[in-house]
Amino acid sequence: MMDPTIAAIATPLGAGGIGIIRMSGQDALSIADKVFKSKSKKVLQEQRSHTIHYGWIIDPDTEEVIDEVLMMLMKGPNTYTREDVIEINCHGGMIVIQKILQLLLKNGAQLAEPGEFTKRAFLNGRIDLSQAEAVIDIINAQTELSLQSSISQLGGTLSQKVKNLRQELLEMIAHIEASIDYPEYDMEELTYEMIQSKTEMLLDQVNDFIRTADTGRMIREGIQTVIIGKPNVGKSSLLNALLREQRAIVTDIPGTTRDVLEEYITIQGVPLKLMDTAGIRETADVVEQIGVEKSKEWMTKSDLVLVMMDASTKFTTEDHEIFKLIEGKRCLVLINKTDLPRKLDIKQVFAYVDKEQILELSVKEGEGMDQLENRLREMFFAGEINVKDDVFITNVRHKDALVKAKSSLETVLETIELEMPEDCLSIDLQSAYEYLGEITGETVGESIIHQIFSQFCLGK
Amino acid sequence: MKYDAGKVDVIVIGGGHAGCEAALATARLGFSTLVFAISLDSIAMMPCNPNIGGTSKGHLVREIDALGGEMGKNIDKTYLQSKMLNTGKGPAVHSLRAQADKIRYSLEMKKTLENTENLRIYQGEVTNILVESQKVIGVETLSGAIYTCKAVIIATGTYLKARCIFGETSVNSGPNGLHAANHLTECLKNLGVEIYRFKTGTPARIDGKTIDFTKMEEQPGDQEIVPFSFGTSRESLNREQISCWLTYTNEKTHEIIRNNLHRSPLYAGEIKGTGARYCPSIEDKIVRFADKERHQVFLEPESEYNNEWYVQGMSSSLPEDVQRDMLRTLPGLENCEIMRVGYAIEYDCLNPLQLKPTLEFQNIDGLFSAGQMNGSSGYEEAAAQGLIAGINAALKLQGKDPFILDRSEGYIGVLIDDLVTKGTQEPYRMMTSRAEYRLLLRQDNADLRLTERGYEIGLISKERYEYVLQKKQQIKEEIERLKHTNVGTSLSVQNFLVKYKSTPLKSGTTLAELLKRPELDYDKLKEIDFERKELPWDVQEQVNIQIKYEGYILRQMNQVEQFKKLETKMIPVDIDYDDVYSLRIEAKQKLNQVRPLSIGQASRISGVSPADISVLLVYLEQYRRRK
């Protein structure tokens, strides 16, 4: 039995919008054939090694065209891993690259472990013995990266929701297992109707998570974006408008935003971690002072600063302070409240930033918001702003686990349909439990047995 | 005075369920074997529950039997009642359980030991295991006898520094008032063995003539009895069965217990050993599940030769008077008289991470350990380990490769892998949920899985091996036949389907396809299967299961294939983990402690991450290329 076929994104993401997805293993060609339609209707498996093919990636289930691509076909052993390798060159940007990778996973590939291509290259004799330690370093470094990201990036509430879902699953498994291991104990019977309705409920929740993963909101990461500006220029309103829901407290009284608000959103495929700050101004209010200090701190860490200004007020020393503060940072200047009579002299802004960095809008009237979103997208795909690659990988990994959990739960329902006994059910319930554990970073271990004995009073 | 008592090949310390299987295995494989027991009247004694088998434990017994062990045969000879549990659930969890006649069980086993060539039993206490340059050379007994030997199997059960406690009373004795073994622990500690202290317990035994069974629900045995041993014929099992009886605790019982908790050694902090969650005392149940209104209590006969009844569900270490009072609140037990009081027992055992999967100590050549000493609990778990330790001691003396079952081959494999790879913090009980591949590891196919292995080892006769080969062939042929026997839409077929409330056929199909329908089975299909030959019942059973669960079985077989890939990547025994570049310190420590045989085993050690495994794989490749 051979090792499974693995796939991963091979190029840094975000920059330039061109990406390569690499797949290696015995099924690489056949998986590629499932999702690739060549312009000249060629079947990849029949092609010679080291050739390039032009065509489209198409989801075989929906027949949706995902991207126009070049496929590089390399047959083992003359490849990096000595296995059959496919490299998909696409140019649709981040979201498309993720979609293609997910498609490969759905069609039989497994997401590569950290450093796995290099590991295979070494184990298959492609890399020289003297480089073994370097191989180990790559594995360790990549593991470190993915560990840092995978768990910490999962939003707090989301992680809790997945944990709750797992707990419900665990209780059901424990109930089934307890009745199997202790057939003579009088415990409440878990009927197939109960298992079925509970499984359906859990399946709904998993489907919700999958939808969340699709919008990129699974991840507690993104381009760190700070919104900054004088009090009451409309920072919270902007955040709310972007979120399309009322979250931050919005009032006309300066200084209402006492702390830094964080939100995660995806705008046209670009993941943003938005931070709304307290208005920057000299203040005697201690609470607000803390907020201001935090704003400054966040700003130094940020990838992008959105400076908000009020078109209806004059340029002040506070605005001057702000521009001094963000010197050297990538920024966009948003001139808000264009619906009100203009008092701001735009020339004073030109002293600090280029014209292209300025956008005029009215959050209240919803004017200029589309331009803002487009501009953010352009900056991202043009590589002006970057986000760590592992963010995307994590999202793919989470989604992969969710899709597998979903299919396990569906099998449970089929098993019920077929009137198969409990021990058949339990196999897939446990798989679903394991897959969800990959998201929260928890393993099965003794948890089922712990649960059995904490849930039921059993024993001789 | 010390004296030279002579030479044997193998010494087994302890004559319980582990000791008996170990000794029988080595003796039957041709090695002179000497068993020491604290009392020769306690050979294969059942100091707690009077039954063999049950969920997952029944699987162990059938596997022991398929490998050539004795437990299955012995219970077939001495059972009082037999039941197949979980018949309403899937075949993977069907579990055989028999009530044993404790006295006969012990006597029959003793007789078997006595009548086995190369085997001697001796009443005495081993106080010292003699080791020279990390190799076992003999043992010393309390009376100063020095025996030289090539291998020692420790199977001391719950006897090491044992202490029995109930209420304010504490006695330094082993189970059932037998004297404890107080010396061996020190010897083991001096050999560098890490010792744990565990705790277990047993309920009172009461006098049958003081029980009013009319107030209880009868729990009869099965009409049709399945033998434990694949070598026992069904016909030979027919005998009058004795029923068990069910009653319940009530609020009055719980009140007595609650009022006397302060006198419980467990709650007073008198007991320090680690107890098992799955074997809670009644006082534990009342405290932990305070809102449960009643608990089941089963009255089980202990023997035809005495009047003692075991009170399952009422394990307790409360004082004698409280035990009496609480028992008397149960319907049917109003006038009961206790014959033996319930107690908790504390004992020394070892950390099983120190053992290899062969149950030999990692660092002491020729020294093996099996049973409750390894932190397990239960007769069946003990017997299974005893058999494996015995087989491996013999194979070692024969200079052959060790015998190790992996997790995909049997519950025995799961049991031992759990113990030596994951260790245990409480007495370990086998459970079906511990077995990942349980649809494959059924009790009904233990013979198909393991007889060949038992035959290769030399514990299974040629005749029995050939029977299994023939059985496999018959199963295969019959499945093929059913898969290729077409069924049309004739009136007789449709009538048959209607009779069993099965959807009539629109077009032709095969018998195998019909068999997969939940409402049909192999037996029912004979009505429309005209070419069927009469096959033995066990062949019919296999055909039925293998076709009905085919999809699930295939999926598990694929999982096993994945599992085996890592399991067959062996780690050199002389690997120096300190030499592995960039392995995390925690992983190094764990790997050094467990010393896994394969990458698969390494991956199951807690504290060893997937990245550590990758690092290890790279190191092994480096190691291989350097050689």
Side-chain angles (χ1 to χ4, degrees):
Chain A
M1 177 110 182
M2 301 280 289
D3 286 325
T5 297
I6 49 169
I9 299 173
T11 45
L13 300 170
I18 287 218
I20 298 174
I21 297 149
R22 181 181 292 147
M23 180 160 59
S24 172
Q26 57 176 347
D27 300 326
L29 300 185
S30 64
I31 294 170
D33 269 326
K34 286 191 215 166
V35 301
F36 175 68
K37 197 173 149 198
S38 142
K39 180 142 197 285
S40 48
K41 310 211 162 38
K42 283 184 280 195
V43 175
L44 293 174
Q45 290 179 86
E46 294 163 1
Q47 305 307 311
R48 278 184 303 130
S49 183
H50 293 75
T51 49
I52 297 180
H53 308 272
Y54 170 73
W56 299 271
I57 296 290
I58 294 172
D59 185 336
D61 291 341
T62 61
E63 297 193 358
E64 177 199 358
V65 176
I66 306 214
D67 200 12
E68 184 184 25
V69 298
L70 283 177
M71 299 288 259
M72 296 181 56
L73 186 165
M74 292 158 278
K75 292 183 180 171
N78 296 321
T79 63
Y80 181 57
T81 56
R82 298 226 152 146
E83 301 170 332
D84 288 352
V85 171
I86 284 282
E87 285 186 359
I88 306 175
N89 289 250
C90 60
H91 49 47
M94 184 48 31
I95 300 305
V96 166
I97 294 176
Q98 282 192 74
K99 263 196 182 165
I100 296 175
L101 179 57
Q102 278 164 3
L103 202 56
L104 298 179
L105 301 182
K106 202 165 133 193
N107 284 282
Q110 279 185 19
L111 194 58
E113 292 298 320
E116 198 171 357
F117 287 100
T118 312
K119 184 179 94 185
R120 287 196 179 185
F122 179 76
L123 294 181
N124 295 334
R126 178 71 168 69
I127 297 180
D128 191 88
L129 196 56
S130 64
Q131 292 171 45
E133 291 187 357
V135 172
I136 288 175
D137 285 339
I138 288 173
I139 293 170
N140 277 337
Q142 295 200 11
T143 302
E144 179 108 340
L145 251 182
S146 84
L147 276 183
Q148 272 172 11
S149 51
S150 63
I151 296 165
S152 63
Q153 281 174 3
L154 191 65
T157 53
L158 265 166
S159 150
Q160 196 52 49
K161 278 185 193 160
V162 177
K163 279 186 181 159
N164 293 346
L165 195 132
R166 274 188 100 225
Q167 181 60 28
E168 285 186 53
L169 203 47
L170 180 62
E171 281 168 21
M172 187 156 68
I173 296 168
H175 200 149
I176 295 172
E177 292 299 317
S179 72
I180 286 173
D181 265 317
Y182 292 90
E184 291 182 321
Y185 277 79
D186 54 343
M187 57 183 87
E188 191 202 343
E189 200 200 344
L190 194 60
T191 62
Y192 268 38
E193 288 74 41
M194 288 155 85
I195 299 173
Q196 188 175 9
S197 74
K198 186 118 193 195
T199 306
E200 280 165 355
M201 203 186 77
L202 295 172
L203 189 59
D204 282 348
Q205 290 188 46
V206 170
N207 278 325
D208 276 351
F209 286 134
I210 291 175
R211 278 192 289 277
T212 315
D214 283 338
T215 63
R217 287 194 66 181
M218 281 294 281
I219 298 167
R220 196 184 177 80
E221 265 309 334
I223 297 163
Q224 302 230 14
T225 309
V226 173
I227 310 175
I228 193 170
K230 280 186 298 191
N232 208 25
V233 291
K235 298 185 293 294
S236 300
S237 305
L238 173 71
L239 182 65
N240 289 337
L242 289 172
L243 288 170
R244 293 180 179 86
E245 56 189 17
Q246 294 284 312
R247 280 303 265 286
I249 312 156
V250 187
T251 67
D252 289 335
I253 309 154
T256 332
T257 308
R258 290 293 170 89
D259 207 340
V260 177
L261 286 174
E262 283 180 30
E263 280 295 343
Y264 303 90
I265 59 168
T266 304
I267 293 172
Q268 300 193 16
V270 181
L272 292 184
K273 177 179 179 180
L274 274 177
M275 283 164 289
D276 175 24
T277 64
I280 291 190
R281 62 174 183 147
E282 294 304 315
T283 174
D285 185 331
V286 181
V287 182
E288 194 178 316
Q289 190 60 47
I290 296 168
V292 174
E293 286 305 315
K294 265 197 183 158
S295 313
K296 289 183 182 169
E297 195 188 312
W298 278 113
M299 203 154 54
T300 50
K301 284 195 216 156
S302 66
D303 303 314
L304 173 68
V305 181
L306 299 178
V307 182
M308 275 205 102
M309 302 190 72
D310 185 345
S312 68
T313 60
K314 287 188 174 142
F315 196 91
T316 63
T317 50
E318 284 166 342
D319 290 315
H320 171 73
E321 290 293 322
I322 289 171
F323 280 112
K324 255 175 62 187
L325 208 62
I326 60 158
E327 224 178 292
K329 298 247 81 159
R330 183 156 307 278
C331 74
L332 272 184
V333 178
L334 311 176
I335 306 204
N336 190 22
K337 306 195 188 178
T338 49
D339 53 312
L340 299 178
R342 166 99 42 157
K343 284 187 186 155
L344 181 74
D345 180 2
I346 197 95
K347 287 196 190 95
Q348 282 181 287
V349 183
F350 289 161
Y352 301 96
V353 293
D354 295 338
K355 202 176 170 184
E356 298 80 64
Q357 284 173 268
I358 301 172
L359 275 174
E360 297 203 357
L361 48 82
S362 165
V363 177
K364 199 174 145 206
E365 302 297 323
E367 282 165 23
M369 294 301 288
D370 289 347
Q371 285 90 324
L372 171 62
E373 293 190 1
N374 288 335
R375 184 81 183 91
L376 285 169
R377 182 175 181 270
E378 280 165 25
M379 287 177 84
F380 178 72
F381 287 123
E384 286 179 44
I385 41 175
N386 277 318
V387 62
K388 285 197 217 95
D389 297 352
D390 46 289
V391 172
F392 296 98
I393 302 303
T394 306
N395 197 27
V396 172
R397 205 176 275 287
H398 288 162
K399 189 174 167 201
D400 189 38
L402 286 169
V403 169
K404 285 179 180 155
K406 176 186 168 178
S407 111
S408 296
L409 290 176
E410 284 167 350
T411 315
V412 170
L413 294 176
E414 268 170 42
T415 305
I416 293 175
E417 201 76 3
L418 290 169
E419 296 176 49
M420 296 301 263
E422 278 99 325
D423 45 350
C424 295
L425 284 182
S426 175
I427 299 176
D428 293 298
L429 285 171
Q430 290 194 32
S431 310
Y433 182 71
E434 275 171 43
Y435 291 132
L436 292 175
E438 287 176 13
I439 298 174
T440 55
E442 291 159 308
T443 51
V444 180
E446 287 264 282
S447 53
I448 292 171
I449 286 162
H450 284 304
Q451 186 64 32
I452 291 177
F453 292 111
S454 57
Q455 203 171 334
F456 302 101
C457 181
L458 303 163
K460 59 183 185 188
Chain B
M1 262 303 282
K2 292 184 184 179
Y3 75 100
D4 179 0
K7 263 188 199 171
V8 286
D9 292 325
V10 181
I11 285 174
V12 179
I13 311 174
H17 304 284
C20 288
E21 295 291 353
L24 286 169
T26 54
R28 284 169 176 164
L29 291 173
F31 296 98
S32 62
T33 303
L34 176 58
V35 180
F36 284 95
I38 290 284
S39 162
L40 286 194
D41 299 325
S42 68
I43 297 288
M45 182 176 78
M46 305 170 84
C48 195
N49 55 315
N51 38 54
I52 296 288
T55 52
S56 75
K57 290 160 173 269
H59 291 64
L60 286 174
V61 181
R62 303 212 97 200
E63 290 178 3
I64 291 169
D65 186 71
L67 289 171
E70 196 61 27
M71 187 170 243
K73 288 182 197 144
N74 207 53
I75 183 63
D76 283 344
K77 286 183 218 163
T78 59
Y79 82 97
L80 293 174
Q81 185 207 91
S82 180
K83 232 178 178 173
M84 186 65 88
L85 303 172
N86 275 337
T87 48
K89 302 189 178 104
V93 294
H94 287 190
S95 294
L96 196 53
R97 186 192 59 198
Q99 297 301 130
D101 186 316
K102 279 187 173 182
I103 294 174
R104 284 191 55 215
Y105 189 91
S106 170
L107 287 175
E108 283 292 341
M109 188 64 91
K110 182 162 179 260
K111 192 162 86 188
T112 303
L113 260 58
E114 287 168 347
N115 292 336
T116 298
E117 214 178 316
N118 301 323
L119 185 56
R120 267 201 301 150
I121 52 178
Y122 195 93
Q123 180 162 310
E125 180 184 342
V126 171
T127 52
N128 225 337
I129 295 166
L130 307 173
V131 174
E132 221 176 70
S133 24
Q134 298 305 106
K135 190 175 176 1
V136 156
I137 52 161
V139 305
E140 186 183 335
T141 69
L142 191 61
S143 48
I146 308 252
Y147 292 85
T148 351
C149 66
K150 296 171 189 157
V152 170
I153 300 167
I154 306 173
T156 48
T158 60
Y159 283 82
L160 289 196
K161 290 218 170 132
R163 186 168 75 113
C164 293
I165 310 123
F166 51 99
E168 298 86 357
T169 316
S170 155
V171 191
N172 288 322
S173 84
N176 260 347
L178 289 156
H179 84 76
N182 289 315
H183 303 278
L184 201 58
T185 302
E186 281 320 303
C187 156
L188 291 171
K189 280 186 180 164
N190 290 337
L191 290 172
V193 175
E194 188 191 343
I195 300 291
Y196 284 162
R197 194 146 176 90
F198 278 1
K199 173 231 137 185
T200 182
T202 196
R205 311 298 195 275
I206 54 184
D207 185 344
K209 67 177 182 292
T210 64
I211 303 173
D212 181 358
F213 291 111
T214 61
K215 292 186 178 163
M216 303 180 181
E217 292 165 36
E218 186 168 6
Q219 308 284 307
D222 287 346
Q223 294 286 327
E224 187 108 350
I225 295 178
V226 180
F228 263 107
S229 172
F230 293 100
T232 308
S233 74
R234 279 190 162 194
E235 298 70 42
S236 71
L237 284 176
N238 287 332
R239 75 188 75 132
E240 190 83 19
Q241 297 188 60
I242 302 180
S243 291
C244 296
W245 300 84
L246 171 62
T247 184
Y248 295 92
T249 63
N250 51 51
E251 189 38 47
K252 191 95 197 11
T253 328
H254 301 181
E255 194 188 320
I256 292 175
I257 294 168
R258 275 195 296 269
N259 289 342
N260 288 284
L261 275 181
H262 62 283
R263 295 179 65 196
S264 152
L266 207 60
Y267 287 89
E270 180 59 24
I271 293 179
K272 291 181 183 65
T274 316
R277 287 162 302 175
Y278 47 79
C279 194
S281 59
I282 185 72
E283 46 270 32
D284 243 357
K285 293 184 194 175
I286 304 295
V287 171
R288 289 188 47 225
F289 295 90
D291 54 346
K292 207 162 151 62
E293 285 163 14
R294 61 176 199 177
H295 296 270
Q296 287 171 316
V297 173
F298 291 93
L299 273 292
E300 303 177 8
E302 294 232 319
S303 171
E304 279 186 300
Y305 298 95
N306 67 25
N307 227 352
E308 294 186 50
W309 285 72
Y310 177 87
V311 194
Q312 200 233 93
M314 293 285 273
S315 166
S316 178
S317 57
L318 284 165
E320 207 165 359
D321 55 315
V322 182
Q323 288 194 30
R324 181 199 57 203
D325 293 347
M326 72 179 189
L327 284 170
R328 287 184 177 172
T329 60
L330 269 59
L333 297 185
E334 294 85 353
N335 301 308
C336 76
E337 292 291 349
I338 292 178
M339 294 175 77
R340 302 182 201 230
V341 72
Y343 58 84
I345 180 168
E346 276 189 328
Y347 55 96
D348 286 346
C349 58
L350 57 82
N351 176 0
L353 292 182
Q354 302 166 97
L355 304 172
K356 300 178 188 175
T358 55
L359 299 180
E360 187 178 21
F361 281 75
Q362 283 169 14
N363 55 357
I364 305 169
D365 201 57
L367 183 60
F368 294 79
S369 179
Q372 222 149 346
M373 180 64 185
N374 291 351
S376 66
S377 101
Y379 313 139
E380 302 81 356
E381 287 87 339
Q385 292 173 64
L387 178 65
I388 297 298
I391 289 173
N392 279 300
L395 291 173
K396 189 180 173 92
L397 298 187
Q398 288 170 346
K400 289 187 185 163
D401 284 343
F403 175 70
I404 297 165
L405 287 176
D406 72 34
R407 302 182 76 87
S408 70
E409 292 171 314
Y411 274 69
I412 297 179
V414 176
L415 163 74
I416 294 177
D417 183 64
D418 275 349
L419 287 172
V420 306
T421 309
K422 299 175 184 165
T424 183
Q425 299 302 317
E426 63 175 339
Y428 176 101
R429 180 201 195 270
M430 195 69 237
M431 294 178 73
T432 63
S433 44
R434 296 190 196 271
E436 298 86 340
Y437 312 113
R438 68 181 180 199
L439 275 185
L440 305 179
L441 307 183
R442 303 185 309 272
Q443 57 91 30
D444 61 71
N445 69 1
D447 58 336
L448 303 178
R449 290 185 276 127
L450 298 173
T451 305
E452 188 175 354
R453 310 290 294 272
Y455 175 69
E456 284 163 7
I457 293 162
L459 290 174
I460 290 286
S461 68
K462 189 157 201 268
E463 185 193 358
R464 214 170 125 177
Y465 171 57
E466 278 170 354
Y467 176 80
V468 168
L469 287 185
Q470 185 200 335
K471 179 174 166 184
K472 280 187 178 173
Q473 189 58 30
Q474 286 175 323
I475 296 165
K476 201 176 146 203
E477 283 170 7
E478 183 65 354
I479 290 176
E480 281 304 303
R481 188 185 70 81
L482 293 183
K483 282 189 172 172
H484 293 102
T485 306
N486 293 314
V487 185
T489 53
S490 68
L491 191 62
S492 63
V493 169
Q494 304 293 33
N495 283 342
F496 164 82
L497 292 172
V498 169
K499 178 176 158 196
Y500 289 105
K501 298 192 173 62
S502 195
T503 322
L505 287 173
K506 288 201 183 78
S507 58
T509 183
T510 63
L511 281 174
E513 282 307 311
L514 281 183
L515 204 161
K516 285 182 182 171
R517 294 187 172 190
E519 60 280 1
L520 301 177
D521 60 31
Y522 182 78
D523 189 50
K524 288 175 185 157
L525 282 176
K526 68 172 177 246
E527 295 172 35
I528 53 165
D529 182 5
F530 306 108
E531 289 149 43
R532 181 180 294 191
K533 281 184 288 186
E534 192 56 36
L535 290 165
W537 69 271
D538 52 341
V539 172
Q540 295 187 29
E541 183 188 30
Q542 286 308 312
V543 171
N544 190 50
I545 293 172
Q546 289 186 25
I547 293 180
K548 240 182 175 14
Y549 301 96
E550 193 179 27
Y552 296 86
I553 290 172
L554 276 176
R555 268 171 56 204
Q556 288 230 305
M557 284 167 76
N558 286 336
Q559 288 173 357
V560 166
E561 218 175 315
Q562 290 292 333
F563 159 83
K564 288 270 192 190
K565 278 195 311 196
L566 290 181
E567 225 55 25
T568 47
K569 283 208 173 83
M570 306 313 282
I571 300 175
V573 283
D574 57 346
I575 186 171
D576 178 0
Y577 290 104
D578 289 325
D579 189 40
V580 181
Y581 173 76
S582 192
L583 201 57
R584 289 173 318 117
I585 292 172
E586 190 198 357
K588 271 184 192 171
Q589 286 168 345
K590 287 287 177 65
L591 288 163
N592 258 325
Q593 185 181 26
V594 176
R595 303 214 54 93
L597 300 184
S598 66
I599 289 288
Q601 195 192 349
S603 69
R604 288 189 293 277
I605 301 172
S606 72
V608 174
S609 70
D612 296 324
I613 295 298
S614 290
V615 168
L616 207 51
L617 280 171
V618 171
Y619 177 82
L620 292 183
E621 175 64 17
Q622 221 178 337
Y623 183 94
R624 194 186 62 80
R625 284 196 221 168
R626 275 199 198 123
K627 281 238 153 163

